[in-house]
Amino acid sequence: MESSNLFLLMLALGACAFYIGRGRSLAIASPLGGVRHLHSLPNYYGLNALLWCALPSMGLLILWLVLDEPVINSIVMGALPAELVPSTKADFNLLLNKISNLADGIMSADGQPAFMVAAAESMAGLRVISQWVLTAICLILATIGLYWGWRRVAAEYRARQSVERVMENLLLACACLAIFTTVGIVFSVLFESIQFFRSVPFFDFVFGSDWSPQTAIREDQVGSSGSFGAVPLFVGTLLISAVAMFVAVPIGLMSAIYLAEYSSKSVRTYAKPALEVLAGVPTVVYGFFAALTVAPFLRDLGADFGLTISSESALAAGLVMGVMIIPFISSLADDVITAVPQAMRDGSLAMGATHSETVRKVVIPAALPGIVAGIMLAISRAIGETMIVVMAAGLAAKLTANPLESVTTVTVQIVTLLTGDQEFDSPKTLAAFALGLMLFTVTLLLNIFALHIVKKYREQYE
Amino acid sequence: MKQAKAAAKSATDTKSNPKQNLEVDTTQATVGNRFCENPKMSMRDVNVFYGDKQAIYDVSVDIAKNEVIAMIGPSGCGKSTFLRSLNRMNDTVDGCKVEGEVLLDGHNIYQQNLDVVELRARVGMVFQKPNPFPKSIFENIAYGPKIHGLADSRVDLDEIVEGSLKKAGLWEEVKERLHQPGTGLSGGQQQRLCIARAIAVSPEVILMDEPCSALDPIATARIEELIEELSQNFTIAIVTHSMQQAARVSHRTAYFHLGKLIEVNPTEQVFTMPEHQLTEAYITGRFG
Amino acid sequence: MSNSTDNLQKIKSSLKRRSRSESRFRWYGRVAIIIGLAAVLALFVDIISKGHGAFKATYIQVDIHYDGDRLGVTSSADKSQLMQANWDALVKSGLREKFSDVSGRRDKRQLYKLVSNGTGFDLKEHLVANPLLLGETESQWLLADDDIDTYYKSWLDGEPYDARLTKKQIQWIDQLHQQGDIRLQLNTNLLTRGDSREPEQAGIYGAVMGSLLTLLLTLMLSFPIGVAAAIYLEEFATKNKFTDFIEVNINNLAAVPSIIFGLLGLAVFINFFHVPRSVPIMGGLVLTLMTLPTIIITSRAAIKSVPPSIREAALGMGASRYQVVLHHVLPLALPGMLTGAIIGMAQALGETAPLLMIGMVAFIVDIPQGFTDPATVLPVQIFLWADSPERAFIEKTSAAIMVLLSFLLIMNISAVWLRKRLERRW
């Protein structure tokens, strides 16, 4: 039976379990003198039966679906004569793919070697068996669960507590998904990075100043060539982020100050959402804007003044990224500025300070931790930003601090290395994960530190 | 008017003294000695509005040079609002409007071309809750002189800070830790710091808005002593919740009721033989 | 005080300078806001001015003779005949008749380039829809090639861009224009077709469907999970190290660069669980993990805003905590949660970087019909088109951006509306 049909069937069984459990509780209740003689409401007996019926079998179904393919593949490949099994991982996967396609009937069996056809047949057979075994076990498990849930219905059985306990655990599992995601991220980047650092020494990667992964592939010699030095990428990332912060911090901060301290209510109602529109625009749109409008504009402008500005200049990408970050900084700054107690302002104004003196010398210093945290979060966002730089920054790794030149960034290289069809284990793709590890570590530290400051700051004024 | 009656009535109900009729016509003019010769500040027909709501009705009163005037009255009577209108701190409140004249040395402070910076440097203010800036003690005091450009040199500034702290009676307690944050002091010390901060720009008038309401009795006693000392050099208007405090520190007392100034008289007289029934009702504790 | 008048003098003399610096500071603020608003304006004006043209396409009127003998088609119902027929020949002969003075192979080839190379296919479809046309001649508006389209539009605007055309072609277009045989028409391809290498035939329908399927899956997964997690953290969890850790994780995940989620998807879902690349399931899974923190955070805020008095009232009646949540807290917090979900979906709709990692950048012509069909999404389509060298794609890209932004606008407006309309103030 198809997995989706099986799923639906089990849902139906679950519904049956609900009604049977509920019905039995009602049947037990009526001689006792009504539902109030039961420990729990009838619906809870029904739910209890449903959970017994559906949970174990669903769990098995999911587990089976995850493990099904790897197990079958290893059985099929294990059955092949040893001399026919390719030694490299790439060829192994290719062969497996071919057999799988044969088994699915996507590829015609004509002209294929006999051992592959045989393997495909055995694979198709195994798949059918697996599917039927799964169906059978699931149905048996569901039935046993249903029976068990039905059996447990009794006047004094604490069905509500039992259901609630299960529900609470399900809720907990959902909350833990955040942890699993983090763990997943850490493991996925760490695992591949370690593999990468086996071929390229860690220090060569972090301190090397020559980045040219393409050459490494062509010459078919990796690591020793030292072409995975990531310093130009770090410098490029920092350069573009610096340009972005140079734009976003003053503008974001000043507009937050103006909106929070000076503007009339009507200006605030319109200007604030209008600025926040910038936060809702997808990054790919900014990338397009940077690559097709801002960069050519800057290049032509530079030409008028006798400056050579690259058409993929760090300046263009940084400017547009800065615009993207303005609302991010302004809304965070707005939050912390309005959190500064009015008493501080009154104290300063009562001394005869002008409004701007009050803002500059009292409000901003008081809000400084929050503002700094906001800027750190913004930096973390700038160095992790991908689409703008992919579309508007360059590909060539150049070690320069001149924003008029073209530089490349960590995220650009991750995208470049991973899009397109390469084998997964090549150092090129692994390098992307090593870059990802760097990116994740830096942004993680920035985020945790910033969030910690923000939390402390909130506590201070609450 | 209606409200006044209702409030007065409810006061009589709760205090159950049927003989005393508290339904007095509060529209009548303020009783007592409102005016004096050569006043430091004089208010004429001051009305204050918050949006459509009127908070202060036709208040006229003088404050003499180097006197301490206390403003008392039940909560919500507008005494704080009135005080804040004396150095235009109400400007910071949205929708607040002040009518009438407030004269400082004969000049209306609500004049169009008047700079509030100068006004507030001359009329300082201390608030209900101590509000030191999140800076060092030194920086708190030096803030005013710095923004106004009063100190010509670092030595000058040090002198001003020391002098102000001494006048506020805080010098001995903090001279060892001038560069630690002002927020680390105790409540009473913080309030004296705020007073020191206010006098560092040598204002002529100091407005105090319930300066002791957040403090314990010992700290309160210190502040009261301080007010007495300060009165030699400054004109002080103090809003207070505590009648005892008004009796202890002030020369004259003004009694406010529902936005109206009911009575102004020398403090001794107010607390011994009030002219107005409402004042009497208040000081004898029948409401408030 | 002795130095009081002295001080006053100093203050008075500083007033002018200080009021100048005050107004300067105000101007800094105003200028900052003006720059911000100017950036919004520049962005939108730029996109719209580039993209509005794409909603119209250039068509050329040609007499088409559906010559059954020439096509080798005897009945329009015979599929194999239709498949084998040379439809382009119909177009070519139509064009030759129109410009009977054109001779020579090179000129002819350039003549044929006036119309899109997909025209033959369109004619086939037209004949299938109107079988009686076989053997007849009909005057038809044929889709022009993208270079012609670009030239004609720019020519109409008064700034002809003729870099990719020959002199002869320009002459022909001029001639067509004088005869009234070339015109702009509503571009239905843009909204009804999938991607194509030919700009004039490319449309965003496939990408829109891909986005829709991906978002549907994201919503189905992230909303229930996010709400469940929020309920647990707000209503059931006791405050301890473990729940603190969960919280730190959630807050941090909300700030992790999106491309990292792409790496996660690549390493875990594709390489470990062998989920196929380029399909909405894959995109949905990655975007679920990405939007989950947003949904959890907003849902928690919504739950928090339900006053504790309501919980206490229900608990006082003897309801279990679970019943309190189900009967009282959830219904009251739902509008806030839905608002959060819409915001999360808007974020997911605009997301590009992680989808590049999991292979949703493939060139896909077919319209995806299900969660397991290869698909791309709207922002990735924009990225792909923006990368294409053909000039005509700039216009298409801007138009696709306009469509994407309108979707986002609708979502955000509905979120604001929902919040205003349904959220209770306590």
Side-chain angles (χ1 to χ4, degrees):
Chain A
M1 197 181 295
E2 289 249 348
S3 306
S4 53
N5 291 344
L6 186 59
F7 183 77
L8 290 178
L9 183 70
M10 271 161 32
L11 279 188
L13 262 178
C16 285
F18 178 78
Y19 279 103
I20 290 170
R22 189 168 173 273
R24 179 165 151 110
S25 77
L26 286 172
I28 289 176
S30 59
L32 291 175
V35 169
R36 68 202 163 81
H37 291 277
L38 292 176
H39 174 270
S40 309
L41 289 171
N43 277 349
Y44 282 103
Y45 291 98
L47 273 176
N48 194 41
L50 184 150
L51 288 174
W52 272 111
C53 170
L55 268 190
S57 48
M58 291 276 185
L60 181 88
L61 178 64
I62 290 167
L63 200 70
W64 194 287
L65 289 179
V66 168
L67 294 177
D68 189 32
E69 203 183 303
V71 169
I72 292 180
N73 285 350
S74 70
I75 293 176
V76 170
M77 295 309 269
L80 285 181
E83 68 274 13
L84 287 173
V85 179
S87 52
T88 69
K89 203 168 170 185
D91 292 342
F92 183 88
N93 284 338
L94 192 69
L95 179 65
L96 186 60
N97 253 336
K98 274 188 185 164
I99 294 176
S100 169
N101 283 345
L102 276 175
D104 286 339
I106 297 173
M107 211 160 76
S108 146
D110 301 340
Q112 300 295 341
F115 81 93
M116 266 169 67
V117 177
E121 271 167 16
S122 90
M123 183 182 267
L126 280 173
R127 280 182 185 171
V128 172
I129 293 171
S130 151
Q131 203 54 252
W132 281 112
V133 171
L134 172 64
T135 309
I137 295 183
C138 274
L139 288 183
I140 290 168
L141 215 62
T143 320
I144 293 173
L146 195 158
Y147 172 70
W148 180 248
W150 176 80
R151 266 272 314 267
R152 303 208 49 181
V153 178
E156 62 277 12
Y157 177 59
R158 298 159 148 252
R160 202 197 71 218
Q161 271 84 340
S162 149
V163 168
E164 290 184 5
R165 214 167 33 244
V166 175
M167 291 315 274
E168 198 176 324
N169 283 324
L170 283 179
L171 295 181
L172 174 66
C174 289
C176 286
L177 198 64
I179 297 181
F180 295 142
T181 310
T182 310
V183 171
I185 289 175
V186 170
F187 272 91
S188 54
V189 291
L190 203 62
F191 187 71
E192 313 291 347
S193 299
I194 288 171
Q195 262 186 294
F196 173 72
F197 290 130
R198 268 192 211 129
S199 54
V200 178
F202 180 76
F203 287 103
D204 288 3
F205 174 72
V206 176
F207 297 114
S209 62
D210 182 25
W211 177 269
S212 50
Q214 308 302 334
T215 349
I217 291 299
R218 196 176 60 227
E219 289 168 0
D220 205 27
Q221 57 157 205
V222 173
S224 54
S225 67
S227 52
F228 283 100
V231 170
L233 311 189
F234 299 150
V235 171
T237 307
L238 289 180
L239 181 62
I240 290 180
S241 305
V243 174
M245 300 317 286
F246 200 71
V247 173
V249 171
I251 295 181
L253 207 54
M254 278 314 295
S255 44
I257 290 171
Y258 188 80
L259 288 176
E261 297 281 337
Y262 286 104
S263 74
S264 64
K265 220 171 176 181
S266 56
V267 171
R268 195 177 155 88
T269 3
Y270 293 106
K272 211 172 139 84
L275 274 184
E276 272 160 15
V277 164
L278 287 175
V281 173
T283 54
V284 69
V285 177
Y286 282 112
F288 177 74
F289 184 61
L292 276 101
T293 305
V294 178
F297 173 76
L298 286 178
R299 189 193 54 210
D300 297 346
L301 196 72
D304 290 347
F305 288 95
L307 282 171
T308 348
I309 301 182
S310 157
S311 55
E312 292 176 331
S313 64
L315 187 62
L319 278 180
V320 173
M321 194 189 282
V323 167
M324 181 193 83
I325 291 175
I326 289 173
F328 190 74
I329 292 199
S330 76
S331 73
L332 276 169
D334 191 75
D335 284 352
V336 291
I337 287 172
T338 43
V340 172
Q342 184 62 29
M344 294 284 158
R345 291 185 188 90
D346 282 354
S348 169
L349 290 173
M351 314 260 325
T354 63
H355 204 151
S356 67
E357 283 163 352
T358 303
V359 170
R360 275 183 288 137
K361 297 185 173 150
V362 176
V363 177
I364 298 297
L368 201 60
I371 291 175
V372 168
I375 292 175
M376 283 170 65
L377 285 176
I379 293 175
S380 143
R381 174 164 285 213
I383 59 183
E385 170 48 42
T386 310
M387 291 321 291
I388 294 178
V389 283
V390 165
M391 295 167 82
L395 281 176
K398 208 184 283 176
L399 193 57
T400 173
N402 180 359
L404 304 183
E405 283 188 52
S406 147
V407 292
T408 190
T409 73
V410 173
T411 47
V412 170
Q413 290 304 318
I414 296 179
V415 171
T416 322
L417 294 175
L418 286 180
T419 46
D421 293 317
Q422 302 98 3
E423 263 322 304
F424 193 69
D425 289 334
S426 79
K428 229 174 107 180
T429 53
L430 292 177
F433 281 90
L435 289 174
L437 178 68
M438 292 292 142
L439 184 63
F440 180 70
T441 317
V442 172
T443 53
L444 182 79
L445 291 177
L446 278 171
N447 294 343
I448 288 184
F449 194 51
L451 290 170
H452 181 74
I453 298 178
V454 168
K455 204 175 159 198
K456 278 265 133 49
Y457 176 79
R458 289 226 175 94
E459 281 163 2
Q460 187 191 331
Y461 288 123
E462 255 167 23
Chain B
M1 189 47 234
K2 226 177 183 176
Q3 277 179 317
K5 278 185 184 164
K9 200 168 185 179
S10 75
T12 43
D13 289 348
T14 49
K15 298 291 176 186
S16 69
N17 191 345
K19 276 180 194 165
Q20 195 95 25
N21 180 16
L22 281 168
E23 290 190 25
V24 199
D25 183 7
T26 48
T27 53
Q28 69 181 70
T30 313
V31 298
N33 305 318
R34 286 189 284 169
F35 306 121
C36 57
E37 271 176 45
N38 292 330
K40 183 72 199 169
M41 293 188 87
S42 37
M43 282 54 81
R44 294 292 177 268
D45 302 319
V46 174
N47 287 291
V48 182
F49 302 86
Y50 289 120
D52 307 331
K53 241 192 90 206
Q54 188 164 5
I56 296 289
Y57 296 82
D58 294 322
V59 172
S60 296
V61 64
D62 281 349
I63 301 175
K65 202 157 194 279
N66 286 13
E67 91 166 325
V68 177
I69 184 166
M71 299 173 186
I72 60 170
S75 38
C77 69
K79 51 194 193 297
S80 287
T81 303
F82 182 67
L83 192 77
R84 287 169 69 94
S85 66
L86 302 189
N87 72 343
R88 295 186 52 175
M89 277 308 283
N90 277 334
D91 288 12
T92 61
V93 180
D94 274 342
C96 182
K97 198 174 80 208
V98 179
E99 282 173 6
E101 286 188 324
V102 178
L103 305 170
L104 175 64
D105 288 336
H107 299 286
N108 189 2
I109 66 167
Y110 282 94
Q111 235 165 11
Q112 280 275 299
N113 56 359
L114 181 124
D115 198 319
V116 288
V117 168
E118 187 196 331
L119 167 69
R120 289 177 187 156
R122 293 174 65 189
V123 183
M125 189 162 191
V126 175
F127 295 84
Q128 190 168 356
K129 244 180 88 188
N131 56 352
F133 304 134
K135 298 165 181 280
S136 73
I137 294 169
F138 184 90
E139 285 297 326
N140 261 284
I141 310 289
Y143 180 73
K146 270 187 180 168
I147 56 169
H148 293 307
L150 301 182
D152 296 324
S153 63
R154 178 77 195 186
V155 182
D156 256 12
L157 194 60
D158 286 345
E159 253 171 45
I160 294 176
V161 170
E162 185 177 338
S164 309
L165 282 170
K166 275 184 176 154
K167 274 185 216 141
L170 197 58
W171 176 251
E172 291 303 322
E173 292 161 62
V174 301
K175 64 180 179 193
E176 304 296 325
R177 46 173 174 151
L178 282 178
H179 296 285
Q180 282 171 23
T183 42
L185 298 172
S186 74
Q189 286 173 323
Q190 282 190 13
Q191 195 62 299
R192 276 182 283 147
L193 180 67
C194 292
I195 293 174
R197 190 175 70 186
I199 60 186
V201 292
S202 13
E204 296 153 36
V205 182
I206 301 175
L207 310 175
M208 297 187 172
D209 188 359
E210 303 193 24
C212 303
S213 65
L215 305 181
D216 61 77
I218 296 170
T220 302
R222 299 263 350 229
I223 303 270
E224 286 177 4
E225 271 169 42
L226 180 59
I227 292 172
E228 200 155 341
E229 284 163 31
L230 292 175
S231 70
Q232 289 164 14
N233 295 316
F234 303 95
T235 305
I236 295 172
I238 176 169
V239 162
T240 173
H241 216 72
S242 134
M243 282 177 278
Q244 289 81 354
Q245 185 168 57
R248 283 193 296 264
V249 301
S250 69
H251 307 137
R252 278 200 305 160
T253 297
Y255 173 67
F256 282 80
H257 189 92
L258 294 172
K260 297 192 171 75
L261 180 58
I262 303 296
E263 175 172 354
V264 189
N265 263 322
T267 302
E268 209 156 303
Q269 189 190 338
V270 169
F271 286 101
T272 49
M273 322 177 269
E275 268 181 62
H276 201 285
Q277 281 172 308
L278 276 172
T279 320
E280 193 187 351
Y282 180 69
I283 60 169
T284 50
R286 254 167 294 143
F287 61 84
Chain C
M1 262 192 108
S2 58
N3 61 348
S4 191
T5 41
D6 189 28
N7 275 353
L8 206 57
Q9 224 36 58
K10 281 183 183 163
I11 292 172
K12 275 205 160 93
S13 66
S14 76
L15 285 180
K16 218 172 186 177
R17 173 182 55 82
R18 287 162 72 189
S19 81
R20 263 203 314 272
S21 104
E22 171 74 28
S23 72
R24 213 182 311 129
F25 192 70
R26 271 174 206 241
W27 270 109
Y28 291 153
R30 287 199 194 105
V31 167
I33 290 186
I34 290 168
I35 292 178
L37 296 180
V40 178
L41 202 67
L43 187 66
F44 280 84
V45 168
D46 181 56
I47 301 285
I48 292 172
S49 68
K50 277 191 180 133
H52 74 277
F55 294 96
K56 291 253 169 91
T58 309
Y59 285 79
I60 295 171
Q61 183 165 250
V62 179
D63 291 332
I64 298 292
H65 178 48
Y66 290 93
D67 188 346
D69 302 339
R70 186 132 170 229
L71 287 168
V73 174
T74 48
S75 149
S76 61
D78 188 336
K79 282 223 170 109
S80 68
Q81 279 184 352
L82 289 176
M83 282 273 278
Q84 281 161 8
N86 183 2
W87 297 95
D88 288 342
L90 283 192
V91 182
K92 287 176 182 171
S93 71
L95 282 168
R96 275 200 307 274
E97 267 169 46
K98 196 159 200 78
F99 297 94
S100 43
D101 53 337
V102 175
S103 59
R105 278 184 58 158
R106 267 180 66 188
D107 283 0
K108 276 185 184 163
R109 210 179 309 142
Q110 274 170 4
L111 179 65
Y112 302 151
K113 275 193 190 158
L114 286 183
V115 295
S116 165
N117 68 0
T119 312
F121 179 78
D122 292 345
L123 292 182
K124 181 183 120 189
E125 299 281 287
H126 188 66
L127 183 64
V128 171
N130 308 286
L132 293 178
L133 274 179
L134 193 61
E136 303 290 317
T137 302
E138 195 192 38
S139 165
Q140 271 190 313
W141 287 97
L142 305 179
L143 183 61
D145 186 70
D146 59 311
D147 290 331
I148 307 299
D149 183 59
T150 309
Y151 169 73
Y152 187 60
K153 281 174 183 164
S154 63
W155 183 78
L156 285 178
D157 290 342
E159 304 164 22
Y161 173 83
D162 52 11
R164 291 180 52 86
L165 299 188
T166 62
K167 277 218 177 77
K168 284 218 168 110
Q169 283 177 315
I170 292 172
Q171 262 175 20
W172 293 330
I173 293 170
D174 208 37
Q175 194 183 331
L176 282 169
H177 184 72
Q178 274 161 14
Q179 292 165 353
D181 284 341
I182 184 165
R183 69 172 187 197
L184 292 181
Q185 237 173 270
L186 188 69
N187 183 3
T188 48
N189 287 343
L190 184 68
L191 296 176
T192 55
R193 288 202 184 171
D195 197 6
S196 166
R197 299 273 186 224
E198 302 297 329
E200 74 276 7
Q201 295 169 35
I204 53 170
Y205 184 57
V208 169
M209 281 307 287
S211 274
L212 201 70
L213 289 167
T214 309
L215 277 197
L216 196 65
L217 193 76
T218 309
L219 184 66
M220 283 187 331
L221 289 173
S222 66
F223 189 59
I225 296 177
V227 168
I231 290 174
Y232 180 79
L233 291 173
E234 280 300 318
E235 298 285 335
F236 293 100
T238 47
K239 190 144 180 63
N240 56 29
K241 284 258 161 65
F242 183 65
T243 47
D244 276 353
F245 182 60
I246 296 181
E247 225 175 308
V248 168
N249 265 298
I250 290 170
N251 287 333
N252 181 55
L253 282 179
V256 161
S258 58
I259 192 172
I260 299 285
F261 286 96
L263 290 179
L264 170 74
L266 181 59
V268 174
F269 294 130
I270 291 184
N271 287 321
F272 193 73
F273 288 125
H274 298 282
V275 180
R277 282 165 171 259
S278 311
V279 297
I281 288 192
M282 191 59 231
L285 284 173
V286 168
L287 291 180
T288 297
L289 294 181
M290 215 193 74
T291 50
L292 209 49
T294 313
I295 292 186
I296 295 178
I297 290 168
T298 47
S299 298
R300 287 185 69 179
I303 293 173
K304 253 191 204 138
S305 73
V306 175
S309 58
I310 288 183
R311 290 185 190 86
E312 282 157 14
L315 286 171
M317 298 284 294
S320 74
R321 287 212 292 178
Y322 185 70
Q323 286 166 326
V324 172
V325 170
L326 212 58
H327 299 162
H328 300 283
V329 177
L330 265 192
L332 292 174
L334 201 62
M337 292 173 166
L338 285 176
T339 313
I342 295 176
I343 292 170
M345 288 307 111
Q347 195 188 335
L349 175 59
E351 198 51 72
T352 321
L355 301 179
L356 299 184
M357 303 286 89
I358 53 169
M360 290 192 95
V361 274
F363 171 71
I364 290 152
V365 177
D366 295 328
I367 313 293
Q369 306 293 337
F371 291 116
T372 49
D373 288 350
T376 186
V377 293
L378 202 42
V380 174
Q381 185 73 73
I382 290 168
F383 169 66
L384 287 171
W385 281 357
D387 244 15
S388 306
E390 287 90 346
R391 191 185 161 90
F393 268 127
I394 296 179
E395 192 180 79
K396 300 272 165 183
T397 314
S398 307
I401 289 175
M402 283 160 74
V403 173
L404 176 63
L405 289 179
S406 356
F407 278 127
L408 289 173
L409 197 69
I410 293 169
M411 289 169 90
N412 281 303
I413 287 176
S414 56
V416 171
W417 178 82
L418 199 67
R419 183 157 46 201
K420 285 235 165 85
R421 188 70 196 267
L422 298 173
E423 214 167 45
R424 266 182 239 207
R425 292 255 161 252
W426 302 101

